[in-house]
């Protein structure tokens, strides 16, 4: 069975949205912690981060959001996605303790190289521009699965799945047997199906954030279309 990861921005309404995503078939929920300079994020997630910051969603509030989400979906892996500047300001060791206490299964720090803060348990990212050496190091240090950034650029919907994904999967499989989940530029059921045909799972972010603006019910329905598409791919 292929894995479906759904990204949502942390906010006051996010716990209920996360529960809806899980009801729709999400296996993992990635919770973005808003940041004023999100280098990896496209316009949709940037706008969502700005709204969250206006709501007062600073790091402590995001941890509270995570804890409430954990209450609503006690069995679902929850993965905060953040940036190193937030951890630097909050305190690296303090954050590692508090995020685990709040219910995080793992962590993504989008701009933290694999050889910086290696003691911080987290999911590593690799991209088409990653060298084979860096890919091997990332695979050796990743927590649970390896995040394949399918394209060079920021998050956001694209018309097609990146043509670089097939080669990226092939290179990653040559150095590791950990699960490979593909993200960035995947928004439609058709794209999710295509990506799942190559990788072990897919991460869908910008479009769920957009759909979530309409509330839990539209989000659940949208995630169900992704679930059906991913399930149509036979795992190998």
């Amino acid at each position: 069975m292929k894995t479906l990861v759904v990204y949502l921005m942390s906010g006051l309404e996010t716990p209920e949205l996360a529960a809806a995503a899980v009801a729709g078939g999400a296996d993992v929920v990635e919770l973005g912690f808003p940041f004023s300079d999100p280098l990896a994020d496209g316009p949709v997630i940037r706008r969502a981060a700005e709204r969250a910051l206006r709501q007062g969603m600073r790091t402590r509030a995001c941890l509270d959001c995570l804890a409430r989400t954990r209450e609503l979906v006690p069995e679902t892996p929850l993965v905060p996605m953040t940036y190193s500047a937030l951890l630097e300001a909050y305190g690296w060791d303090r954050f590692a303790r508090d995020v685990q206490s709040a219910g995080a299964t793992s962590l993504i720090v989008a701009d933290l190289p694999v050889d910086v803060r290696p003691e911080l348990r987290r999911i590593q990212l690799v991209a088409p521009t990653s060298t084979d050496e860096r890919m091997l190091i990332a695979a050796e240090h990743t927590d649970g699965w390896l995040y394949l950034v399918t394209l060079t650029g920021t998050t956001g919907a694209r018309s097609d799945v990146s043509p670089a994904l097939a080669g990226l999967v092939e290179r990653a499989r040559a150095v590791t047997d950990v699960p490979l989940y593909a993200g960035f530029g995947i928004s439609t059921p058709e794209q999710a199906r295509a990506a799942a045909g190559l990788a072990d799972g897919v991460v869908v972010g910008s479009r769920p954030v957009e759909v979530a603006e309409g509330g839990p019910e539209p989000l659940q329905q949208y995630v169900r279309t992704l679930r059906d598409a991913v399930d149509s791919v036979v795992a190998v």
Side-chain angles (χ1 to χ4, degrees), residues 21 56 64 77 81 87-88 92-93 99 113 133 215:
D64 292 342
M81 195 285 265
L87 277 66
E88 184 72 33
W92 292 92
D93 294 339
V99 77
E133 179 183 9

Side-chain angles (χ1 to χ4, degrees), residues 20-104:
V22 172
D27 298 302
V28 179
V29 176
E30 185 182 341
L31 294 173
F33 281 26
F35 181 48
S36 57
D37 189 22
L39 300 179
D41 296 326
V44 170
I45 294 180
R46 282 176 178 267
R47 287 194 296 269
E50 291 168 359
R51 290 194 299 270
L53 291 170
R54 288 196 298 268
Q55 286 183 340
M57 296 302 296
R58 305 303 188 262
T59 302
R60 181 65 258 175
C62 290
L63 291 169
D64 292 342
C65 173
L66 169 63
R68 173 59 179 156
T69 304
R70 172 54 68 211
E71 292 175 357
L72 296 183
V73 289
E75 304 300 324
T76 302
L78 300 177
V79 180
M81 195 285 265
T82 186
Y83 288 87
S84 57
L86 296 181
L87 277 66
E88 184 72 33
Y90 191 86
W92 292 92
D93 294 339
R94 178 188 173 206
F95 185 89
R97 291 192 303 268
D98 289 357
V99 77
Q100 184 175 13
S101 296

Side-chain angles (χ1 to χ4, degrees), residues 96 99-100 104-109 117-124 141-144:
V99 77
Q100 184 175 13
T105 309
S106 190
L107 178 67
I108 296 171
V109 187
R117 297 278 176 176
E119 75 282 0
L120 183 66
R121 187 172 65 92
R122 63 192 189 271
I123 295 161
Q124 301 289 344
H141 289 85
T142 200
D143 182 31

Side-chain angles (χ1 to χ4, degrees), residues 119-234:
E119 75 282 0
L120 183 66
R121 187 172 65 92
R122 63 192 189 271
I123 295 161
Q124 301 289 344
L125 296 87
V126 296
T129 53
S130 299
T131 65
D132 290 344
E133 179 183 9
R134 297 295 289 184
M135 192 174 292
L136 176 59
I137 295 172
E140 290 175 341
H141 289 85
T142 200
D143 182 31
W145 48 278
L146 191 62
Y147 194 136
L148 305 184
V149 177
T150 65
L151 46 81
T152 302
T154 60
T155 60
R158 303 294 197 277
S159 58
D160 297 293
V161 172
S162 170
L165 177 57
L168 185 59
V169 169
E170 182 178 1
R171 291 175 58 211
R173 291 206 192 283
V175 299
T176 185
D177 57 2
V178 302
L180 309 175
Y181 298 172
F184 282 53
I186 300 169
S187 61
T188 68
E190 293 75 21
Q191 291 169 342
R193 182 184 299 112
L198 296 168
D200 302 303
V202 297
V203 186
V204 187
S206 293
R207 185 58 183 155
V209 169
E210 284 185 316
V211 175
E213 294 178 15
E217 184 175 348
L219 178 64
Q220 181 174 338
Q221 294 172 356
Y222 166 70
V223 173
R224 175 54 57 189
T225 67
L226 298 175
R227 178 80 265 167
D228 291 343
V230 169
D231 285 347
S232 70
V233 178
V234 178

